[in-house]
């Protein structure tokens, strides 16, 4: 009995599967993240490793059906493999898995049908809608470089127009609108992946309201008074500065009263002539007694 069992064991050629192959292969794909899963192979007291390989359209048509080991799962212990980095084109991919334990190897189990990333489930990103003063601000979840986001926002009132903005920045607050006091604004968003040409559904709308944060009357009055003071003080300062500059560059010289001419030049000349004649007559009168005495 032992001899027959030994013969059967030694007669099994290399590469013949003696481990059960993994079953129930499937791909869970959400927002361009692809996870291949399968049912684990159970061997009591043993650690089972798995090898994952893929074959894209290029490998199938131009590389003689070559299979490429997965970047992260050759081997792996768990019954799952993140194949996101392996799926680089929007074409069907063949995927297969086999189990190993020591020198024992299972047969390959192949995913049916092949996986194409255009079947991924797209969901709206997480978003945080806030107000910064009177500014409507949104911050979106970072889903990866392949994603764009279409953000729709509107003022919550009958007949309000809906605005749409394309947002490419991820994880960074984005200003959408300057809000009016006392008004409510709503926002919804959907994802778009250009590589597969698909949109997600829109998210549920989130609304924020700006309270009636009008300026207090005292502050408004202070602003008005300040504005009026500017209107008065600035022109007055300019005028005063002009006078100061004019006085500094071209000072006004005030003559003493003795040097001021109060009469016209003609009158002054005639007055001087009369004074000269009177003075000459007086001198002649004073000389005549002197001559008589001589």
């Amino acid at each position: 009995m032992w001899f027959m069992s030994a013969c059967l064991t030694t007669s099994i050629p290399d590469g013949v599967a003696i481990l059960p192959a993994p079953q129930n292969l499937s791909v869970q794909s959400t927002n361009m993240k692809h996870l291949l899963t399968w049912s684990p192979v159970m061997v009591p007291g043993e650690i089972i490793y798995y090898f994952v390989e893929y074959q894209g359209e290029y490998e199938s048509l131009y590389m003689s059906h070559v299979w490429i080991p997965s970047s992260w799962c050759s081997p792996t212990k768990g019954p799952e493999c993140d194949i996101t980095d392996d799926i680089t084109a929007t074409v069907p991919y063949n995927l297969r898995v086999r189990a190993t334990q020591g020198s024992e190897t299972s047969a390959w189990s192949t995913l049916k049908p092949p996986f194409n990333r255009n079947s991924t489930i797209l969901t709206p990103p997480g978003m945080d809608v806030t107000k910064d003063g009177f500014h409507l601000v949104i911050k979106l979840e970072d889903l990866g470089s392949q994603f764009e986001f279409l953000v729709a926002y509107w003022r919550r009132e009958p007949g309000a127009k809906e605005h749409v903005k394309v947002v490419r920045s991820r994880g960074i607050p984005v200003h959408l609108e300057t809000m009016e006091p006392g008004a409510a604004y709503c926002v919804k968003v959907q994802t778009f992946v250009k590589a597969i040409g698909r949109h997600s559904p829109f998210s549920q709308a989130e609304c924020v309201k700006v309270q009636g944060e009008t300026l207090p009357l005292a502050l408004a009055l202070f602003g008005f008074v300040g504005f009026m003071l500017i209107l008065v003080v600035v022109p007055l300062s300019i005028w005063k500065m002009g006078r100061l500059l004019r006085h500094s560059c071209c000072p006004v010289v005030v003559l003493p009263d003795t040097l001021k001419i109060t009469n016209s030049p003609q009158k002054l000349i005639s007055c001087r002539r009369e004074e000269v004649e009177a003075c000459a007559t007086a001198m002649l009168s004073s000389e005549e007694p002197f001559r008589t005495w001589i």
Side-chain angles (χ1 to χ4, degrees), residues 96-114:
R96 67 182 188 180
V97 184
R98 72 176 180 182
T100 63
Q101 191 278 313
S103 59
E104 299 178 357
T105 303
S106 75
W108 288 102
S109 291
T110 304
L111 177 71
K112 298 293 182 181

Side-chain angles (χ1 to χ4, degrees), residues 146-200:
Q146 300 184 78
F147 286 80
E148 294 180 356
F149 306 102
L150 302 181
V151 180
Y153 58 96
W154 64 95
R155 182 172 175 169
R156 192 172 62 185
E157 61 182 5
K161 181 181 178 181
E162 186 176 283
H163 305 277
V164 177
K165 185 172 186 176
V166 178
V167 177
R168 294 181 176 85
S169 57
R170 303 171 300 277
I172 301 174
V174 176
H175 172 263
L176 295 179
E177 180 85 354
T178 299
M179 302 183 291
E180 296 182 10
Y185 291 79
C186 298
V187 181
K188 62 182 180 180
V189 62
Q190 69 175 177
T191 58
F192 172 68
V193 181
K194 187 176 182 179
I196 61 176
R198 289 181 49 214
H199 295 84
S200 75

Side-chain angles (χ1 to χ4, degrees), residues 65-284:
H65 298 276
V66 66
W67 289 85
I68 309 298
S70 174
S71 305
W72 303 103
C73 308
S74 289
T76 181
K77 288 183 180 180
E80 63 182 25
C81 175
D82 186 349
I83 57 172
T84 301
D85 293 341
D86 302 321
I87 308 300
T88 57
T90 309
V91 297
Y93 278 79
N94 294 312
L95 297 164
R96 67 182 188 180
V97 184
R98 72 176 180 182
T100 63
Q101 191 278 313
S103 59
E104 299 178 357
T105 303
S106 75
W108 288 102
S109 291
T110 304
L111 177 71
K112 298 293 182 181
F115 170 72
N116 193 321
R117 68 181 184 179
N118 63 8
S119 63
T120 189
I121 299 172
L122 296 179
T123 63
M127 68 174 178
D128 184 19
V129 181
T130 58
K131 57 178 181 176
D132 182 7
F134 290 95
H135 301 288
L136 180 62
V137 178
I138 185 172
K139 184 177 180 181
L140 300 173
E141 177 187 4
D142 185 0
L143 295 179
S145 60
Q146 300 184 78
F147 286 80
E148 294 180 356
F149 306 102
L150 302 181
V151 180
Y153 58 96
W154 64 95
R155 182 172 175 169
R156 192 172 62 185
E157 61 182 5
K161 181 181 178 181
E162 186 176 283
H163 305 277
V164 177
K165 185 172 186 176
V166 178
V167 177
R168 294 181 176 85
S169 57
R170 303 171 300 277
I172 301 174
V174 176
H175 172 263
L176 295 179
E177 180 85 354
T178 299
M179 302 183 291
E180 296 182 10
Y185 291 79
C186 298
V187 181
K188 62 182 180 180
V189 62
Q190 69 175 177
T191 58
F192 172 68
V193 181
K194 187 176 182 179
I196 61 176
R198 289 181 49 214
H199 295 84
S200 75
F202 269 105
S203 65
Q204 293 291 327
E206 293 187 21
C207 302
V208 293
K209 184 177 181 180
V210 180
Q211 303 299 328
E213 298 175 0
T214 55
L215 291 174
L217 181 60
L219 185 58
L221 182 60
F222 177 78
F224 175 75
V225 171
F227 178 71
M228 294 303 296
L229 284 175
I230 291 174
L231 288 181
V232 174
V233 171
V234 170
L236 183 61
S237 300
I238 295 174
W239 175 77
K240 197 73 175 176
M241 185 63 69
R243 283 185 57 114
L244 181 61
L245 290 174
R246 186 174 62 182
H247 179 73
S248 300
C249 299
C250 306
V252 178
V253 178
V254 180
L255 294 175
D257 292 340
T258 56
L259 298 179
K260 291 181 180 178
I261 300 176
T262 58
N263 296 321
S264 63
Q266 284 296 116
K267 188 175 180 181
L268 183 61
I269 292 171
S270 62
C271 290
R272 290 294 176 91
R273 285 177 179 175
E274 292 175 357
E275 291 176 0
V276 170
E277 291 175 356
C279 181
T281 303
M283 288 183 67
L284 289 174

